[in-house]
């Protein structure tokens, strides 16, 4: 096939087919990474997860053989307690760890699960890679940066406009979390400690690692729509919350006024960066990479307004008279919630090492994503709304 002939890395060397152990392959990012690896590379994926709904279309038992037949195998397992894990890592050239509890609604309400998932459960993965001399690409988060330095200055202070006070740079920016009683930061803190442990394994034991810090990657298959393919009372990340509101024709909820800022990157752009890391180990090993789109910054309120306009276009439905409502964070997430104020990724390191840049504008990525949401869920939502609820 075209994928196996003469593909070259960034230094012009031919790329050899490898076996990749992907933990958390059934999630949002994992599903897109599996798709990319099957469609465009000769690599084999050993996919590990407790769920496989989002990659079922790639697996062989689903409706006959694929062009990539035999190159992806799924193992349903929980890495918390499964003796097969070390063997599967040993069989592979590279391990990619995506497994985590990573929805903000869980950080303050299930802090123990959050800390265990993001730190304790990742420990054996790091150890097996280190002990067996295997390469590791570990998924951390932009949340590791916490709040910006500028957020501690008075609102109208001129230094707030100075990039030194807000741009998040891998080898310069500090990690600034709130007090312990703000349990929101349990996730960031657990991710920070596993990053430090991986870095130390590299420094002391020669582990070949790459750490990825995603900055709000969004696109099709992210999270779930409450009451349709996830729990009705569940609170997913903002893309799915707002999609759910739009699909149901209800106002979008702005937490504490929606004044926090985020930069959103299209999942398909971000996956290109991960493929470059996979296939250019000499350029990626020992690095920590921000992966985001600094050009797509909006406040959450601006995101809500844009999603409302885009959804009206793709669904051919009018915009509500009251498209958004304010809700307090305590009401929406419960006690212990706190927020990152602003997240602009510095792109110097990923540019230099991998020559990667994001391409897709916020409007365009929302248009393709909301087209997918509408096609996938609009009918099911109509039926769910028509059915009287048993209460
Ligand atoms: P996701 O929740 O869709 O995927 C995580 C997957 O890991 C899920 O399918 C889950 O079932 C699996 N998993 C969790 N615990 C497991 C266990 N014990 N055993 C086996 N499988 C387990 O989330 P995602 O958005 O795809 O995120 C993947 C990684 O990227 C996470 O580490 C997350 O912290 C990080 N990240 C993502 C974003 C983003 O923008 N999407 C931002 C920051 C960080
Ligand atoms: N948010 C919101 N309404 C919602 C869901 C989220 O205003 O229905 C806000 C949330 O408070 C945060 C931002 O949107 O400021 C992004 O939230 P997300 O859950 O996507 O994760 P985060 O970027 O904070 O990790």
């Amino acid at each position: 096939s075209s994928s196996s002939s003469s593909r070259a890395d960034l230094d012009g060397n031919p790329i050899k087919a490898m076996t990749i152990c992907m933990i958390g392959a059934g999630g949002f990012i994992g599903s897109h990474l599996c798709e990319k690896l099957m469609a465009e590379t000769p690599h084999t994926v050993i996919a590990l997860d407790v769920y496989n709904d989002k990659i079922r279309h790639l697996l062989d038992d689903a409706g006959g053989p694929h062009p990539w037949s035999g190159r992806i195998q799924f193992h349903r397992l929980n890495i918390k307690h499964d003796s097969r894990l070390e063997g599967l890592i040993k069989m592979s050239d590279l391990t990619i760890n995506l497994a985590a509890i990573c929805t903000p609604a869980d950080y303050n309400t299930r802090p123990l699960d959050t800390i265990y998932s993001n730190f304790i459960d990742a420990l054996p993965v790091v150890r097996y890679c280190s002990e067996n001399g295997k390469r590791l690409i570990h998924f951390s988060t932009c949340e590791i940066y916490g709040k910006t330095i500028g957020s501690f200055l008075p609102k109208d202070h001129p230094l707030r406009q100075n990039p030194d006070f807000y741009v998040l740079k891998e080898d310069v920016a500090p990690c600034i979390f709130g007090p312990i009683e703000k349990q929101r930061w349990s996730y960031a803190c657990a991710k920070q400690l596993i990053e430090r442990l991986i870095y130390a394994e590299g420094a002391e034991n020669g582990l070949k690692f790459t750490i990825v810090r995603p900055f709000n990657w969004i696109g099709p298959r992210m999270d779930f729509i409450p009451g349709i393919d996830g729990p009705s009372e569940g609170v997913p990340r903002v893309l799915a919350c707002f999609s759910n509101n739009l699909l149901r024709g209800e106002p979008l909820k702005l937490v504490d006024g929606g004044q926090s800022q985020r930069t959103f990157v299209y999942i398909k752009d971000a996956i290109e960066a991960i493929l470059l890391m996979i296939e250019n180990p000499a350029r990626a090993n020992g690095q920590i990479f921000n992966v985001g789109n600094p050009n797509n910054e909006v406040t959450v309120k601006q995101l809500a307004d844009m999603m409302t306009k885009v959804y009206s276009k793709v669904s051919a439905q009018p915009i509500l008279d009251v498209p958004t409502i304010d809700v307090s964070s305590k009401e929406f997430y419960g006690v212990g919630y706190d927020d990152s104020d602003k997240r602009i990724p510095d792109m110097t390191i990923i540019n230099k090492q991998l020559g990667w840049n994001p391409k897709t504008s916020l409007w365009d990525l929302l248009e393709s994503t909301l087209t997918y949401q509408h096609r996938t869920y609009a009918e099911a939502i109509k039926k769910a709304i028509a059915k009287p609820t048993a209460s």
Side-chain angles (χ1 to χ4, degrees):
S1 75
S2 62
S3 57
S4 53
S5 60
S6 70
R7 294 176 64 255
D9 68 16
L10 291 171
D11 299 303
N13 306 309
I15 294 165
K16 287 197 214 101
M18 57 185 116
T19 299
I20 300 169
C21 175
M22 196 190 298
I23 305 168
F28 163 59
I29 295 175
S31 72
H32 287 274
L33 189 51
C34 286
E35 255 176 19
K36 183 84 169 177
L37 289 166
M38 291 305 108
E40 294 178 27
T41 80
H43 309 309
T44 295
V45 172
I46 302 178
L48 278 53
D49 205 304
V50 287
Y51 306 112
N52 70 5
D53 314 48
K54 294 182 184 187
I55 54 170
R56 206 170 281 150
H57 62 293
L58 300 172
L59 304 176
D60 273 334
D61 54 14
H66 296 287
W68 52 81
S69 186
R71 285 202 289 112
I72 181 163
Q73 44 169 284
F74 176 72
H75 298 259
R76 191 180 303 276
L77 64 82
N78 187 331
I79 60 164
K80 272 184 199 297
H81 40 68
D82 199 301
S83 58
R84 290 173 290 174
L85 181 62
E86 182 169 17
L88 295 170
I89 288 175
K90 275 189 179 171
M91 279 172 59
S92 309
D93 303 296
L94 162 69
T95 294
I96 302 179
N97 190 6
L98 294 150
I101 288 178
C102 52
T103 22
D106 292 321
Y107 308 163
N108 59 313
T109 55
R110 299 167 59 203
L112 284 175
D113 287 342
T114 300
I115 294 166
Y116 273 81
S117 170
N118 284 284
F119 182 66
I120 306 287
D121 299 346
L123 284 176
V125 177
V126 179
R127 185 157 50 84
Y128 297 147
C129 287
S130 192
E131 286 173 357
N132 294 291
K134 301 294 185 180
R135 204 181 151 214
L136 171 66
I137 298 180
H138 185 83
F139 273 72
S140 180
T141 172
C142 61
E143 192 152 317
I144 213 104
Y145 295 108
K147 299 179 183 242
T148 64
I149 308 173
S151 72
F152 295 89
L153 294 168
K155 274 269 175 298
D156 52 357
H157 200 289
L159 279 178
R160 278 197 171 217
Q161 307 308 315
N162 181 335
D164 289 348
F165 285 75
Y166 64 80
V167 173
L168 305 172
K169 191 163 171 22
E170 297 91 329
D171 53 353
V172 175
C175 302
I176 307 175
F177 307 151
I180 303 301
E181 64 180 42
K182 297 281 187 195
Q183 295 202 78
R184 157 70 188 241
W185 302 106
S186 58
Y187 170 73
C189 194
K191 286 281 204 197
Q192 180 185 178
L193 192 53
I194 198 72
E195 275 202 28
R196 290 191 184 276
L197 185 117
I198 291 166
Y199 196 90
E201 280 288 350
E204 293 189 35
N205 296 325
L207 172 69
K208 294 196 181 75
F209 72 86
T210 303
I211 289 169
V212 183
R213 293 179 179 167
F215 280 65
N216 294 77
W217 300 8
I218 60 175
R221 293 196 294 268
M222 186 169 195
D223 300 336
F224 58 89
I225 296 300
I228 303 297
D229 55 6
S232 356
E233 299 307 313
V235 179
R237 287 170 283 188
V238 68
L239 175 80
C241 285
F242 286 176
S243 298
N244 183 39
N245 299 143
L246 290 165
L247 285 155
R248 292 177 190 274
E250 49 186 49
L252 281 58
K253 291 179 176 163
L254 300 176
V255 172
D256 293 339
Q259 290 313 300
S260 296
Q261 292 168 293
R262 294 290 188 271
T263 51
F264 293 93
V265 65
Y266 192 35
I267 181 70
K268 291 186 197 297
D269 288 352
I271 291 294
E272 300 267 356
I274 303 309
L275 187 57
L276 286 166
M277 293 174 204
I278 292 172
E279 297 190 326
N280 292 275
R283 289 165 176 261
N285 284 345
Q287 300 290 340
I288 300 177
F289 291 116
N290 287 344
V291 180
N293 187 337
N295 306 316
N296 281 350
E297 189 183 38
V298 279
T299 63
V300 172
K301 162 116 180 64
Q302 288 167 331
L303 175 73
D305 293 343
M306 198 185 284
M307 283 182 68
T308 301
K309 288 202 190 95
V310 172
Y311 190 71
S312 169
K313 183 181 168 193
V314 305
S315 68
Q317 280 159 21
I319 292 171
L320 296 181
D321 292 338
V322 184
T324 60
I325 50 167
D326 286 354
V327 46
S328 74
S329 58
K330 193 167 174 203
E331 201 183 320
F332 193 80
Y333 288 114
V335 289
Y337 182 74
D338 199 356
D339 210 353
S340 298
D341 53 303
K342 185 176 175 76
R343 291 180 180 160
I344 305 253
D346 184 278
M347 294 277 97
T348 311
I349 295 179
I350 195 160
N351 262 310
K352 175 164 171 270
Q353 295 302 115
L354 303 173
W356 177 84
N357 278 300
K359 296 180 225 141
T360 313
S361 70
L362 187 57
W363 179 279
D364 288 352
L365 75 84
L366 289 176
E367 192 164 312
S368 57
T369 305
L370 291 180
T371 300
Y372 170 89
Q373 303 288 54
H374 186 67
R375 272 204 215 116
T376 309
Y377 296 108
E379 277 309 310
I381 293 263
K382 243 192 235 161
K383 281 190 198 137
I385 290 173
K387 225 190 278 164
T389 52
S391 61

